[in-house]
Amino acid sequence: MVHQFYSSIGHFVPRGIVHRFKKEMEYLNIQVPESSFVGFLFLYGFFLSAGIAANLFFFFKINPLPTFVFFFTLIVGGTYLWLNLAADSKGKYVEKILPDALQLVASNVKAGLTTERALLVSAREEFGPLEVELRRAAGKIIGGIPVAEALAGIPEKIKSRLGQSTIWLIAEGIERGGEIGDLLIELADDIREQDSVKQEISANISMYILLIFFASAFGAPVLFGVSTFIVQILTSQAESIPTVSGISSQQFGNSAVVQGFTQGGPKISFD
């Protein structure tokens, strides 16, 4: 009854929002209907935000409408952000141990085990979320589902582009008749090489960030001081340049004297 009540409330929520929550919940393996979860979240956020807005209005005379919207958005958006970050953290962990898992599965396959047996034996606790997915894929293979189709369900539960592309390559290789053991070993080596390239790029970017920081924190003030000094010098020199305010000549025998020179150049202030 409770789930039905929350689910009926969730039906009033836009389907795009419910779908976003559904994807994050699938990545985290949360076994709760998405409509019930979203309905509970929106109902709880509504009453909690209304209570906070009412208290702030009565005690501090703050407009309740902006307060309600702010806290309601904070509760719903904060929950979605937490789910998103948790799913990303799970995906990054899987990406970290994925080469070792592929290497282990390849070793078991080369040792003569069948694909489903190799997956079961390779599903170890240290693999974390990947252990559950390997066991699930092995169960599907035992149930008669093709290997490529069974492996294709792994990226649906793990938020990782690397994992998705890796599983796609494995499925394509199996469908085209490739040797699964060699394929897994090559993929593991490629993932390790790609990870090392990413770390090198990250180190270079960090160095650039430090250089930009020191340039802006120390170099910019020095350049500003030098430019200020240069402007002072240019201003004093400009003021000493003679200008002609009016010309008159007097004849003294065979020579003429030009009068009217005044000191002072362009009126450029230091500011």
Side-chain angles (χ1 to χ4, degrees), residues 93-108:
Y93 177 79
V94 171
E95 290 179 357
K96 183 178 180 181
I97 55 92
L98 184 59
D100 296 333
L102 295 177
Q103 192 81 34
L104 183 59
V105 175
S107 300
N108 291 326

Side-chain angles (χ1 to χ4, degrees), residues 9-255:
I9 296 175
H11 289 313
F12 292 99
V13 181
R15 301 311 302 170
I17 297 177
V18 177
H19 181 70
R20 287 178 177 271
F21 275 95
K22 178 183 178 181
K23 293 299 295 181
E24 302 301 331
M25 292 168 62
E26 288 178 350
Y27 290 140
L28 295 175
N29 200 24
I30 298 177
Q31 303 297 327
V32 176
E34 64 277 3
S35 57
S36 299
F37 181 85
V38 174
F40 168 78
L41 177 63
F42 272 67
L43 185 64
Y44 176 80
F46 177 84
F47 284 109
L48 181 60
S49 302
I52 296 174
N55 281 278
L56 291 177
F57 174 73
F58 287 128
F59 289 102
F60 301 101
K61 303 302 179 183
I62 299 176
N63 190 348
L65 183 59
T67 305
F68 170 79
V69 173
F70 171 77
F71 281 100
F72 183 77
T73 305
L74 181 64
I75 293 172
V76 176
T79 303
Y80 177 77
L81 181 62
W82 175 77
L83 293 174
N84 185 273
L85 292 176
D88 288 338
S89 177
K90 175 183 175 181
K92 290 180 180 178
Y93 177 79
V94 171
E95 290 179 357
K96 183 178 180 181
I97 55 92
L98 184 59
D100 296 333
L102 295 177
Q103 192 81 34
L104 183 59
V105 175
S107 300
N108 291 326
V109 170
K110 283 184 172 296
L113 298 179
T114 59
T115 304
E116 64 275 12
R117 186 61 184 171
L119 292 175
L120 284 174
V121 173
S122 303
R124 298 185 177 181
E125 294 183 359
E126 55 267 26
F127 291 160
L130 189 58
E131 175 197 4
V132 179
E133 301 307 321
L134 290 176
R135 292 185 181 276
R136 183 177 297 166
K140 291 180 180 179
I141 297 173
I142 295 174
I145 299 177
V147 178
E149 185 177 347
L151 294 177
I154 295 178
E156 297 178 359
K157 302 295 183 180
I158 298 175
K159 189 177 183 180
S160 169
R161 288 188 176 182
L162 177 62
Q164 184 177 3
S165 59
T166 301
I167 297 299
W168 181 83
L169 288 173
I170 294 174
E172 287 292 318
I174 293 174
E175 290 181 354
R176 298 180 185 278
E179 179 63 33
I180 186 171
D182 296 334
L183 177 63
L184 294 177
I185 292 176
E186 291 178 2
L187 284 174
D189 294 338
D190 291 340
I191 292 174
R192 290 192 180 97
E193 183 179 356
Q194 182 180 358
D195 184 63
S196 63
V197 172
K198 285 183 178 180
Q199 292 180 359
E200 183 178 356
I201 293 174
S202 178
N204 291 333
I205 292 175
S206 299
M207 183 176 63
Y208 295 150
I209 291 174
L210 289 175
L211 290 175
I212 294 173
F213 171 75
F214 280 106
S216 59
F218 302 101
V222 172
L223 292 176
F224 179 75
V226 173
S227 62
T228 303
F229 178 72
I230 293 175
V231 170
Q232 289 178 340
I233 294 176
L234 292 177
T235 303
S236 62
Q237 290 180 351
E239 292 177 350
S240 64
I241 297 175
T243 60
V244 179
S245 59
I247 301 177
S248 64
S249 61
Q250 295 179 355
Q251 195 72 22
F252 291 94
N254 295 327
S255 63

